Amino acid sequence: MESTEPAPPTREGASADLDGCVELLRKLLPEQALITDRQRVRTYECDGLASYRTVPAAVVLPENAEQVRSAVAACSEHGVPFVARGSGTGLSAGALPRADGVLIVTSKMRRILELDIANERAVVEPGVINLDVTKAAAPHGYYFAPDPSSQQVCSVGGNVAENSGGAHCLKYGFTTNHVLAVEVVTADGELVELGGAAHEAPGYDLLGAFIGSEGTLGVVTSITVRLLRSPESVRTLLAGFPSTDEAGAAVSAIIAAGVTPAAVEMMDALSITAAEQAVQCGYPEGAGAVLVVELDGPAPEVERTFTEVWQHCAEHGAFEIRTAADETERALIWKGRKSAFAAVGRISRDYIVQDGVIPRTALPEVLRSIAELSAESGVRVANVFHAGDGNLHPLVLFDGSEPGATERAEEVSGAILELCVEQGGSITGEHGVGADKVRYMGRMFTARDLDVMQCVRCAFDPAGLCNPGKVFPTPRLCGEAPGRRRGVHPLTEAGLADQF
């Protein structure tokens, strides 16, 4: 769908001057750092969620923090909205540009500024690829724990914006658990540091507020990340089950026994079919579901818990269990899971990658409900998810060339999020709200909840210029009194915002 985003609210008395902003950017930045040609800026019209597209008015490609600061300051001076973008792999339209604004792309800021092994940390620019941090630290016996499926291409700056997780977040947590500090350009063009070299700092947790804020509080220019020691032992198991019910029961049994695997991933029959066609991963034939379970840590502990996991899988109906004998076999087991999202393109012309969270114990019930939604609507759904923490990634399949197919797929996708909320879960686990899920925020939060969150946003960005139109269903006018609004929101009345 072609997005036609409205102009954001600006400071009282201020009006957007896009031409003046671009002219100032030409003076402040090197020639190659600013793109305004219509065909060239079209390259950046969407992120990984290609159903939302907007061609930005201008694109800035900074190579250092000072150029980012200059770009943001120019936007602030002229009242022009701006959006930050990393590798463009996001799946919630969080980096969707503004037709009346500037897109700041940090992909050229890809230096690892410091590798401080003695203090178990590294300082990186936002464009550094996630996996490259581990590659740099690995010779020293360390690694960077967050591992999204897109870790070969996604940037650390994007991980910070979305608070990305990955397969191993069950044991190691999300990006927020592995960031000590960020250097940020605030919405008015000031360069500040949040956090510090110490693992804990006194005062309000502004670093925690920034991580996962989806680019609405500022633009990150460097990140200090924690490095972990590479585990002594790693064991990976692949188990085939007749259905997701048995696989889910095995997961519950494993966790209930006090075992905390590094990762527990599940795929259903349809996603297995896609992975086999794409990468020939050799998963158990005829499986209605597979579990990928990985344990790491001291060798004696891994061997003991590995035996327990094997037993729980066998007791709950696994008809085939394999273990990786070496790193090559481990990589092949993970190849099927890591390729699952892209692999679905082999069996469907179009698909929606959804992201929701439910309590782990609700897995069987929710998966059955998703199957019922699929049967009733005629829309196929492939399920791939982090089973250990209940983070679902249903893949809703459709053919956009068929009349009404897109609408039916979007309806099923929304109904899945409703299921998550009904179970006490969340509309997103790691992909973010972006522009795609703003309409569901009111299902999960009260008006007062949203008011409080928007007050935080206004404290960072009073002018409402920083990635406007994302996360919140209706923008708050900074300075507006909190509480229930009576009557139509003025931005809605003016046709500048939607109210869900």
Side-chain angles (χ1 to χ4, degrees), residues 160-215:
V160 169
E162 303 296 345
N163 191 23
S164 303
H168 292 78
C169 62
L170 173 62
K171 182 174 182 178
Y172 293 104
F174 289 73
T175 299
T176 188
N177 303 110
H178 300 276
V179 173
L180 297 171
V182 292
E183 182 186 76
V184 174
V185 176
T186 61
D188 59 358
E190 182 181 359
L191 196 63
V192 301
E193 184 177 49
L194 306 178
H199 282 217
E200 295 292 340
Y204 293 118
D205 185 12
L206 298 180
L207 175 62
F210 189 88
I211 298 172
S213 62
E214 303 191 32

Side-chain angles (χ1 to χ4, degrees), residues 267-279 335-354 380-384 393-399:
M267 298 170 63
D268 70 2
L270 193 53
S271 60
I272 294 168
T273 298
E276 289 292 351
Q277 289 188 24
V279 298
K335 189 175 184 180
R337 169 60 186 90
K338 292 280 188 177
S339 68
F341 290 177
V344 170
R346 296 295 185 103
I347 63 172
S348 180
R349 176 171 174 169
D350 300 290
Y351 59 96
I352 298 169
V353 180
Q354 199 45 276
R380 294 184 299 166
V381 180
N383 289 290
V384 182
H393 293 308
L395 304 163
V396 182
L397 316 184
F398 66 102
D399 183 345

Side-chain angles (χ1 to χ4, degrees), residues 58 100 121 130 157 163 171 177 188 217-218 229 231 293 303 313 330 379 389 396 469 485 487:
D100 59 347
R121 64 182 181 231
N130 174 292
N163 191 23
K171 182 174 182 178
N177 303 110
D188 59 358
L217 304 184
R229 276 195 174 277
V293 184
E303 289 307 310
C313 288
R330 177 183 176 232
V379 176
D389 60 1
V396 182
R485 166 166 292 281

Side-chain angles (χ1 to χ4, degrees), residues 354 370 373 381 392 394 396 411-420:
Q354 199 45 276
I370 291 174
L373 283 170
V381 180
L392 306 180
V396 182
E411 186 175 341
V412 169
S413 178
I416 291 172
L417 292 183
E418 296 279 7
L419 284 172
C420 293

